[in-house]
Amino acid sequence: MYAIVDIETTGGKFNEEGITEIAIYKFDGHEVVDQFISLVNPEREIQPFVVNLTGINSKMLRDAPKFYEVAKRIIEITEDCILVAHNAQFDYRILGTEFRRLGYDYKRKTLCTVELSKDLIPDQASYSLGKLVRSLGIPVTDRHRASGDALATVKLFKLLLAKDTSKNIIQQSVKLHKKNKLDSKFLNILDTLPSVTGVYYIHNAEGDIIYIGKSNNIKKRLNQHFTGTNSKSKKLQRLVSTVTFESTGSELVALLKENEEIKQNKPLFNRALRRSIFTHALYSFVDENGYINLKIDVADGRKKNITTFTNRQSAKSFLTNVVEEYKLCQKLAGLYKTKTSCFSYDIKECAGACIQKETPEAYNKRVNALIEKHSYVKKNMVIIDRGRDIDERSAILIENGVFKGLGFVNLNYQINNIEVLESIITPMENNRDAQHIIKNYVRKNKRLKIINFN
């Protein structure tokens, strides 16, 4: 659990400042579950430059509560939370100073979104909150007011959590909140999980990730783990201490994140999933007569394929359908072995490429249309799918045929501006498994929105 904080102060000498406004959003890693926002009477003068910056003046604070009147609420809302702020050292120091004046030793673990941003979003022109969120296309209102800045920090932190593919942030959080009760632990864990699409992480008592999985219904999938009787399920049941999750909305995003994070984190019980997840591929070659032939073969990473499949049967089923859709020759597609004409020609459904009756140019035009649709070699495009919320979309970026990464957007501006999109996305490895996942998903989901760009 995180308490995302922003504080406005009077300015002045070090450790003599007073709080003029405070905003705290309690964030569970997915959504805001509680909040506290208040002006505060600092009982001291506000520096003129601060008044100009924030618009908060002494007259506005005359009837506001003093710090001791809001101190209890601050303690309660940040209890058992990691304090998150943009330049956390400042906000934590100010809170500590105010509590010391009351004789209370206020201690919390902290995370700084400036430091996290430098690590996870490198090479930004500026890491000040305003310039950083603007460069990422994150909307911000009431700049230099506690509520507006804290809410922008919530959105930034949500983006940073998504970019943290090594899961260092969440593992540190789990280590801070170790659960000691083992009785009814499965029911307690299931109570915290939603029935949504996403990726889940099973942690041991030390907070280490021992298994990563993906599901269209996380709660249901974990219930299967906890009630399973096979060897792996029993081992997971014995070692599980906590389960965290990341909602993705999109199954494609969940598949890609699972693939990337298993390879990065190498969890103990994901060994079987580290191997390639596809076995066969569709290839093309030009024969001695100039016709493009299609061939299903065992997947070979050294050869360029059109698309890939989890088994030979699914490859053959796909090829049978596209031969019919594009009016291709069964013989040239490798579906009908013969030295003469194919069966489709005999029933007048093939134009005769199998016996050189149709010209290579006319036939190859249809084959190339098939290849163009199902291969993204040298393509620049963004695949748009569901997001985590109703007003959000996921975006999968492909540049020059290379999968670059994925992210979440709220505004069309973030999609249409490629520089902003590149800043938002979580970079991912363009491996064969990722390519297969994308091709397979696009092939099966014909209603996906795909934006091509130059």
Side-chain angles (χ1 to χ4, degrees):
M1 194 69 74
Y2 307 95
I4 299 177
V5 181
D6 189 81
I7 290 169
E8 303 300 333
T9 73
T10 57
K13 292 182 181 178
F14 185 81
N15 277 1
E16 291 184 7
E17 309 102 313
I19 294 175
T20 58
E21 188 177 33
I22 185 167
I24 303 172
Y25 290 95
K26 194 169 186 176
F27 183 65
D28 66 0
H30 311 280
E31 60 184 357
V32 173
V33 296
D34 195 5
Q35 66 182 53
F36 173 66
I37 302 160
S38 180
L39 291 169
V40 180
N41 185 338
E43 302 181 271
R44 63 197 69 216
E45 285 300 312
I46 306 172
Q47 298 294 310
F49 80 91
V50 175
V51 174
N52 291 332
L53 183 68
T54 65
I56 299 171
N57 56 49
S58 297
K59 186 177 180 181
M60 290 169 59
L61 304 178
R62 191 176 299 148
D63 297 322
K66 297 178 174 62
F67 185 78
Y68 75 85
E69 295 175 274
V70 298
K72 184 181 178 184
R73 177 70 173 125
I74 293 169
I75 291 170
E76 288 172 347
I77 197 170
T78 62
E79 191 78 46
D80 295 325
C81 290
I82 296 174
L83 214 64
V84 180
H86 205 70
N87 190 7
Q89 187 179 6
F90 170 79
D91 295 80
Y92 187 53
R93 177 180 67 80
I94 296 296
L95 276 174
T97 300
E98 289 280 18
F99 275 110
R100 274 194 302 276
R101 289 170 184 156
L102 301 178
Y104 182 82
D105 189 19
Y106 181 79
K107 290 192 180 297
R108 297 288 186 271
K109 293 277 187 180
T110 62
L111 271 175
C112 179
T113 51
V114 175
E115 299 304 319
L116 289 173
S117 298
K118 287 178 179 177
D119 182 35
L120 296 169
I121 318 174
D123 305 319
Q124 292 291 306
S126 171
Y127 288 92
S128 71
L129 183 62
K131 291 179 180 177
L132 181 60
V133 296
R134 196 178 305 119
S135 73
L136 298 173
I138 296 173
V140 56
T141 56
D142 289 334
R143 184 74 181 96
H144 296 300
R145 291 295 300 266
S147 178
D149 286 359
L151 206 50
T153 307
V154 170
K155 293 172 184 174
L156 173 61
F157 187 58
K158 198 172 183 179
L159 172 64
L160 293 169
L161 282 172
K163 280 181 168 284
D164 181 28
T165 55
S166 62
K167 298 297 154 193
N168 289 327
I169 300 172
I170 197 70
Q171 288 188 83
Q172 286 300 317
S173 176
V174 169
K175 286 174 185 176
L176 182 67
H177 302 293
K178 286 184 183 177
K179 289 180 172 60
N180 296 318
K181 291 184 179 178
L182 295 178
D183 294 338
S184 305
K185 68 175 180 179
F186 300 147
L187 286 174
N188 291 336
I189 289 170
L190 288 170
D191 283 344
T192 68
L193 300 175
S195 300
V196 299
T197 299
V199 182
Y200 59 89
Y201 312 90
I202 297 179
H203 303 258
N204 62 15
E206 284 68 49
D208 300 321
I209 296 172
I210 57 174
Y211 185 80
I212 296 175
K214 161 263 159 194
S215 179
N216 287 326
N217 186 327
I218 291 173
K219 184 189 283 285
K220 184 178 179 181
R221 184 71 186 99
L222 264 297
N223 190 56
Q224 291 168 346
H225 281 308
F226 294 159
T227 57
T229 55
N230 61 40
S231 175
K232 188 177 82 172
S233 290
K234 287 181 177 178
K235 287 176 182 175
L236 287 172
Q237 290 162 20
R238 190 174 70 252
L239 294 174
V240 61
S241 176
T242 308
V243 176
T244 58
F245 68 93
E246 188 170 332
S247 171
T248 62
S250 159
E251 185 183 7
L252 175 56
V253 173
L255 287 163
L256 290 168
K257 285 184 73 65
E258 179 194 38
N259 173 60
E260 174 85 3
E261 291 170 0
I262 286 173
K263 287 176 170 60
Q264 272 204 21
N265 293 279
K266 297 180 174 60
L268 180 64
F269 293 102
N270 283 109
R271 284 175 180 162
L273 295 178
R274 293 178 203 163
R275 64 176 180 265
S276 180
I277 57 177
F278 63 93
T279 60
H280 290 76
L282 181 64
Y283 298 97
S284 66
F285 65 92
V286 179
D287 65 19
E288 66 274 12
N289 297 314
Y291 293 92
I292 299 174
N293 285 229
L294 299 174
K295 182 184 179 183
I296 296 167
D297 206 349
V298 174
D300 185 342
R302 296 167 295 181
K303 299 177 186 175
K304 284 187 177 179
N305 62 64
I306 298 168
T307 188
T308 50
F309 306 89
T310 50
N311 54 57
R312 180 177 285 277
Q313 186 54 45
S314 64
K316 191 173 179 181
S317 175
F318 169 78
L319 189 54
T320 301
N321 289 333
V322 295
V323 163
E324 185 178 337
E325 181 184 350
Y326 288 88
K327 297 185 174 10
L328 303 182
C329 173
Q330 291 174 314
K331 178 182 174 181
L332 299 186
L335 293 175
Y336 191 83
K337 290 185 179 180
T338 179
K339 292 184 179 178
T340 57
S341 61
C342 69
F343 176 72
S344 291
Y345 178 74
D346 296 338
I347 60 172
K348 303 189 184 323
E349 289 182 3
C350 168
C354 43
I355 52 173
Q356 291 91 55
K357 189 173 180 181
E358 181 182 20
T359 66
E361 292 76 18
Y363 181 77
N364 290 348
K365 187 176 181 181
R366 297 198 301 280
V367 181
N368 281 322
L370 160 68
I371 293 171
E372 171 72 15
K373 181 177 179 180
H374 292 282
S375 169
Y376 56 76
V377 173
K378 295 183 179 178
K379 281 186 182 177
N380 294 303
M381 62 185 190
V382 183
I383 301 168
I384 308 299
D385 203 3
R386 292 190 183 103
R388 297 162 294 188
D389 303 310
I390 196 166
D391 62 344
E392 183 181 72
R393 294 290 178 268
S394 56
I396 292 86
L397 177 64
I398 294 167
E399 289 184 338
N400 199 27
V402 175
F403 168 53
K404 305 297 283 186
L406 56 87
F408 296 95
V409 297
N410 296 95
L411 307 169
N412 286 334
Y413 163 75
Q414 293 171 306
I415 300 171
N416 298 328
N417 188 316
I418 195 64
E419 289 183 1
V420 171
L421 186 60
E422 285 174 336
S423 297
I424 290 171
I425 66 161
T426 302
M428 289 190 175
E429 188 183 343
N430 180 47
N431 53 50
R432 286 183 295 159
D433 287 337
Q435 291 170 10
H436 165 71
I437 288 166
I438 294 168
K439 289 176 182 177
N440 190 53
Y441 191 84
V442 171
R443 191 169 65 236
K444 292 179 179 178
N445 294 269
K446 303 187 188 307
R447 294 183 180 179
L448 276 177
K449 182 178 180 182
I450 297 176
I451 300 173
N452 295 294
F453 63 93
N454 296 321

